[in-house]
Amino acid sequence: MEPNETDAILQLRDVKKSFDGVEVLKGISLCVRKGDFVTLLGSSGCGKTTLLRIIAGLTEPDGGQVLLEGHDVLGQPPEKRDVNTIFQNYALFPHMTVYQNVAYALKIRGVGKPELDRRVREMLSLVQMEGSERKTPAQLSGGQRQRIAIARALINEPKVLLLDEPLGALDLQLRRQMQHELKKLQKQLGTTFIYVTHDQEEAINMSDRIVLLHDGGIEQQGTPNEIYDHPRTSYAARFVGSANVLHGTAEHIDGSSVTLRNDCGTMLSLTDGSQIRSGESLSLAVRGENIEISREKPAGASICGVVEANSYAGGMLRIPVRLCDGTEVIITRQGIHFDFSAGETVHLSWPAEAAVLVDREEVRS
């Protein structure tokens, strides 16, 4: 269930923004619950950073509202909004020590020395940076600088913390470690996080809710499981989890499943059967790990193709199969062993529950 205005700490209502006549945000409406970890996910240019900057007060929209705890904050400068932002470059003061960086916001507010010292040390302990008070940013690793940026942003206890691809400069192993630490810290503090990334793995690993942006609008929003297992559009299916999208016409509707036919064979997809007509053009999404491959034609629905040269991505084997209509289907398997050779004709199949219909108006609504 999507959040509604009654339980939202942050609301965006019909937020629009254009640059040089190009519409970057086309009327974004979004509710964010208190204490949630929400990720704005999308490719470069989809509007996610622009939306984050509008929430932060760093960019003014052309129209719409931004409400924090029910109060419209548009027109207020960033320092008057009860939000803080962490950027990819961390924006630490290079001439200040770790202690001075973290204490800066409290010092500006005139917090007394005993209280300031207590809160700085508590925050450094929280991000596991005790003993680094006298170091400068130049003496820290990338992961350590990121921890200090988080401590400095959280010490003011903002209602919402905005994070603009803060892990982008870290290597893969450290990035995965920091994903876990950030999520753990967010849950420990109960602070609302709004996180921007183009990395679907980050979004799936960290988020309570993913908001997938595309072409200036919200393509789909939901939990990681909802976005991954039940994409509503072909774009969502391909962007999150790299699903295969195949097309056919409805041949047989059997309550919970539908059989699609095309020139390469027949395919199954899960459906409630509502408003599907025999002969209707449909699209389905099926993930590579759910596709069975065989030399012999199996009983039931299957499509036919030819194996092409496989490739490896980490510990994942990618097996491309070219269908008779030229469509490429990618099958994935853990490990490096594969019993089929390039040029072999094979049959592909999957159970109905492994595929979902996409790009249908009633599915999107």
Side-chain angles (χ1 to χ4, degrees):
M1 181 182 297
E2 295 179 4
N4 56 51
E5 294 187 0
T6 59
D7 58 8
I9 188 172
L10 177 73
Q11 301 170 51
L12 307 179
R13 295 178 179 171
D14 198 28
V15 174
K16 299 176 181 178
K17 184 64 181 179
S18 297
F19 294 102
D20 299 325
V22 177
E23 202 173 16
V24 176
L25 299 176
K26 301 176 180 178
I28 298 289
S29 294
L30 177 67
C31 291
V32 177
R33 276 188 294 253
K34 182 178 181 180
D36 270 1
F37 194 125
V38 175
T39 296
L40 305 180
L41 175 66
S43 59
S44 297
C46 71
K48 57 188 185 295
T49 294
T50 298
L51 191 60
L52 198 78
R53 290 178 61 85
I54 287 172
I55 297 169
L58 301 171
T59 298
E60 285 296 310
D62 299 328
Q65 290 181 299
V66 177
L67 287 84
L68 186 62
E69 293 189 323
H71 303 288
D72 195 344
V73 296
L74 287 184
Q76 293 184 7
E79 64 273 14
K80 295 295 183 180
R81 303 186 185 192
D82 205 353
V83 301
N84 273 346
T85 308
I86 298 176
F87 300 100
Q88 184 173 331
N89 63 3
Y90 315 132
L92 298 176
F93 298 116
H95 61 287
M96 291 185 181
T97 64
V98 164
Y99 184 100
Q100 291 168 335
N101 265 283
V102 176
Y104 182 77
L106 296 183
K107 188 175 181 181
I108 292 296
R109 289 170 50 190
V111 174
K113 183 67 169 65
E115 173 69 5
L116 183 148
D117 187 67
R118 181 187 66 79
R119 290 174 62 179
V120 169
R121 297 190 185 282
E122 281 183 356
M123 193 56 62
L124 288 176
S125 175
L126 196 63
V127 297
Q128 302 172 44
M129 288 296 290
E130 311 98 312
S132 301
E133 290 85 352
R134 296 186 180 183
K135 293 183 178 180
T136 63
Q139 296 173 297
L140 304 177
S141 68
Q144 290 172 327
R145 288 196 294 272
Q146 201 248 20
R147 286 187 175 92
I148 298 307
I150 293 169
R152 187 179 65 177
L154 288 173
I155 199 166
N156 264 342
E157 300 177 340
K159 291 184 171 67
V160 178
L161 183 64
L162 309 174
L163 303 99
D164 189 6
E165 305 207 46
L167 308 183
L170 305 180
D171 63 63
L172 179 60
Q173 184 174 356
L174 182 55
R175 190 159 70 241
R176 287 176 173 167
Q177 176 188 339
M178 291 306 301
Q179 288 172 14
H180 174 74
E181 291 186 14
L182 260 181
K183 179 65 175 177
K184 182 179 177 182
L185 179 64
Q186 187 265 337
K187 287 304 176 189
Q188 183 176 348
L189 294 173
T191 305
T192 305
F193 277 25
I194 301 180
Y195 190 97
V196 161
T197 186
H198 63 275
D199 187 327
Q200 55 151 318
E201 181 182 303
E202 272 189 7
I204 290 172
N205 286 342
M206 302 172 71
S207 311
D208 297 317
R209 178 166 295 274
I210 295 172
V211 180
L212 179 61
L213 298 177
H214 176 54
D215 193 29
I218 295 177
E219 187 79 4
Q220 185 175 347
Q221 62 172 307
T223 66
N225 285 344
E226 287 169 345
I227 299 289
Y228 190 88
D229 292 331
H230 301 285
R232 296 179 182 175
T233 67
S234 54
Y235 181 85
R238 289 184 173 120
F239 194 89
V240 181
S242 304
N244 299 284
V245 177
L246 302 169
H247 312 284
T249 56
E251 182 178 68
H252 178 69
I253 302 99
D254 184 20
S256 63
S257 67
V258 59
T259 303
L260 281 66
R261 176 173 291 279
N262 62 21
D263 291 340
C264 307
T266 56
M267 306 169 289
L268 291 177
S269 177
L270 194 66
T271 179
D272 60 8
S274 64
Q275 301 181 15
I276 295 179
R277 304 179 305 276
S278 180
E280 179 182 354
S281 295
L282 297 171
S283 300
L284 63 79
V286 59
R287 304 207 179 273
E289 66 266 27
N290 295 326
I291 299 175
E292 295 296 327
I293 181 170
S294 61
R295 292 185 176 89
E296 301 298 324
K297 189 178 188 304
S302 67
I303 52 177
C304 184
V306 176
V307 176
E308 299 188 324
N310 56 41
S311 61
Y312 304 93
M316 182 73 70
L317 174 64
R318 299 176 75 257
I319 309 151
V321 174
R322 186 71 60 180
L323 304 184
C324 61
D325 62 0
T327 302
E328 183 182 66
V329 175
I330 301 295
I331 303 166
T332 56
R333 294 289 186 270
Q334 291 290 338
I336 62 174
H337 300 292
F338 184 54
D339 294 331
F340 297 83
S341 303
E344 276 196 83
T345 297
V346 294
H347 300 271
L348 310 181
S349 61
W350 54 85
E353 59 269 20
V356 295
L357 296 178
V358 294
D359 295 335
R360 302 185 70 228
E361 289 304 319
E362 54 266 39
V363 172
R364 294 191 213 186
S365 60

